[in-house]
Amino acid sequence: MKECAFTIVAKNYIGLAQILGQSLQRQNPAIDFRIYVADEISSDSNAMLPPNVVIAKTALKNLSDSQWTDMAFKYDLTEFCTAIKPFCFEHVFADGFEKAYYFDPDIYVFSSISPISEALDQHSMALTPQVAGIHVNFTGEHPEWAMNVNGIFNLGFCGIRNDDWGRHIVQWWKERLRDQAFADRSVGQFTDQKWMDWIPAFLGDRLFVLQSLGMNLAPWNYFERKLHQDTEGHIRVTFRTDDMPQRDDLLVFVHFAGYDYNKLKQGIIERKRIEDLKDYEDLTMINNIYRDAIVSNVQMFDSFINQPYSYGTYDNGVPIAAFHRRLYHGLQASPGRPFSTGEGSFYKAIEKRGMIIEERIDNVSRRNIGDLAGKHKMLARFYKLLFRLMGYKRYVMFLKSLYFYCRPEMHTFLINKKRT
């Protein structure tokens, strides 16, 4: 049975994706591996591309040029790469593969994925849950409310069989991601991932949930999973907590999300956010293996890592802010040439309103806003004043209206006189 694994990257992560591919095919030599690049490739870079690279814009005939442009502009890098995922599954199926597996580029495969392949002999889809245990006292890196928002399954991995049910799910998923792949908590969207919460209802026993602790080990489930080596040197995974019946599973693949890959190539193991890796000494063995894989392939890694994302700027080199992308989406305009900065362009419209600034304001966190607690106090004083001015009833209704206006799409009146 023909099987193909693939990942999706911007061109700067081609080297990282190749490291994933090496680890996969070392353990699973019969499985083909592809890298779909959701980016523009210059003629100079074309000569450097490995043979397993597929230029998505050219290959995905199920997306027209105007649809590609629309999605590339309105979605940020992560949203765009995830939005084309079902289109890539469809492309793999069209090439005659009977089973297809998606892996995020920051995954490393430690053993055979034959248990997944065997599951797809009898099922149409295989998914991994974010967390495998029932923990009354939850202590994970991401709080449970974030799991509810982001989705119960982690789409760093997805396996689909090329049968009627698998193709039907891909078609359904594809149509939604054309326009609903934003990471937007206000409307319950999280890229391609949140949609997978529907799958158990759709597929029933045609879905196989991979509950093995060795599948998709990742920072958000480190709190529940502990590593050890057996007498034969195989890495195995048990529950770190004592609130679940103990089990002992072979480590299959690890999702190194949030690690600093530029530091890894220097031999330094560091994550960009939250957990201190020193809290999990048992993870040292896999962290070292991944670090060594990047160090030993540093030339391949470096040959692409500094190449800029083609859809990250307007045609004059000015970065496209997340607010710009969503505002454009709210206009529901014909795609045209959204990257253009010429007269009559979307760029000119937002430039006139003072929306082109050098400072990055896409995210709000303690890392990019000084004295966050002080600013919260200042806002509290502002709201107290509003309460006095409005009274209880109007104040409550005002707060409810803020939910509507928290989405950038609702602010098109800033540049569109018809919406004022």
Side-chain angles (χ1 to χ4, degrees), residues 326-358:
R326 299 290 295 276
L327 198 61
Y328 160 83
H329 176 238
L331 290 172
Q332 298 181 339
S334 173
R337 299 174 60 225
F339 294 94
S340 170
T341 56
E343 286 302 319
S345 65
F346 172 74
Y347 177 89
K348 286 298 184 185
I350 61 175
E351 184 182 43
K352 289 176 182 176
R353 303 309 191 275
M355 296 184 192
I356 304 297
I357 62 174
E358 292 184 9

Side-chain angles (χ1 to χ4, degrees), residues 123-169:
H123 301 80
S124 297
M125 197 169 191
L127 295 172
T128 52
Q130 306 268 23
V131 173
I134 304 170
H135 306 289
V136 175
N137 299 308
F138 188 88
T139 59
E141 174 176 298
H142 295 321
E144 288 170 300
W145 69 261
M147 297 287 193
N148 286 335
V149 172
N150 294 351
I152 301 305
F153 300 102
N154 180 264
L155 263 288
F157 166 81
C158 178
I160 306 180
R161 182 176 176 173
N162 186 3
D163 62 11
D164 289 343
W165 283 96
R167 290 189 296 272
H168 198 39
I169 286 295

Side-chain angles (χ1 to χ4, degrees), residues 281-336:
E281 292 293 342
D282 55 292
L283 299 178
T284 300
M285 65 179 94
I286 60 168
N287 288 335
N288 288 347
I289 290 171
Y290 194 53
R291 175 203 61 197
D292 293 346
I294 291 179
V295 169
S296 62
N297 290 281
V298 69
Q299 185 175 359
M300 178 173 63
F301 181 88
D302 279 345
S303 60
F304 298 99
I305 195 64
N306 292 318
Q307 295 196 23
Y309 179 49
S310 301
Y311 307 127
T313 65
Y314 294 96
D315 63 13
N316 64 353
V318 171
I320 304 170
F323 191 85
H324 299 170
R325 296 182 188 276
R326 299 290 295 276
L327 198 61
Y328 160 83
H329 176 238
L331 290 172
Q332 298 181 339
S334 173

Side-chain angles (χ1 to χ4, degrees), residues 205-338:
D205 59 7
R206 295 181 184 86
L207 169 68
F208 190 83
V209 178
L210 295 160
Q211 294 181 304
S212 165
L213 301 181
M215 304 280 190
N216 217 350
L217 176 68
W220 47 86
N221 55 48
Y222 283 171
F223 80 100
E224 71 165 2
R225 306 184 192 190
K226 186 174 183 177
L227 301 180
H228 70 95
Q229 281 187 295
D230 62 22
T231 55
E232 297 180 353
H234 299 128
I235 304 175
R236 304 190 69 84
V237 194
T238 61
F239 274 116
R240 191 183 299 276
T241 57
D242 59 6
D243 54 356
M244 288 292 294
Q246 199 49 265
R247 56 186 297 165
D248 191 14
D249 297 322
L250 181 67
L251 180 65
V252 180
F253 62 94
V254 178
H255 195 162
F256 290 95
Y259 281 70
D260 190 323
Y261 309 112
N262 277 306
K263 290 282 185 66
L264 281 170
K265 75 173 187 178
Q266 301 170 41
I268 302 168
I269 298 171
E270 186 176 299
R271 285 199 71 225
K272 295 178 181 178
R273 56 182 182 266
I274 316 179
E275 296 286 1
D276 184 351
L277 291 172
K278 293 179 182 177
D279 292 342
Y280 304 112
E281 292 293 342
D282 55 292
L283 299 178
T284 300
M285 65 179 94
I286 60 168
N287 288 335
N288 288 347
I289 290 171
Y290 194 53
R291 175 203 61 197
D292 293 346
I294 291 179
V295 169
S296 62
N297 290 281
V298 69
Q299 185 175 359
M300 178 173 63
F301 181 88
D302 279 345
S303 60
F304 298 99
I305 195 64
N306 292 318
Q307 295 196 23
Y309 179 49
S310 301
Y311 307 127
T313 65
Y314 294 96
D315 63 13
N316 64 353
V318 171
I320 304 170
F323 191 85
H324 299 170
R325 296 182 188 276
R326 299 290 295 276
L327 198 61
Y328 160 83
H329 176 238
L331 290 172
Q332 298 181 339
S334 173
R337 299 174 60 225

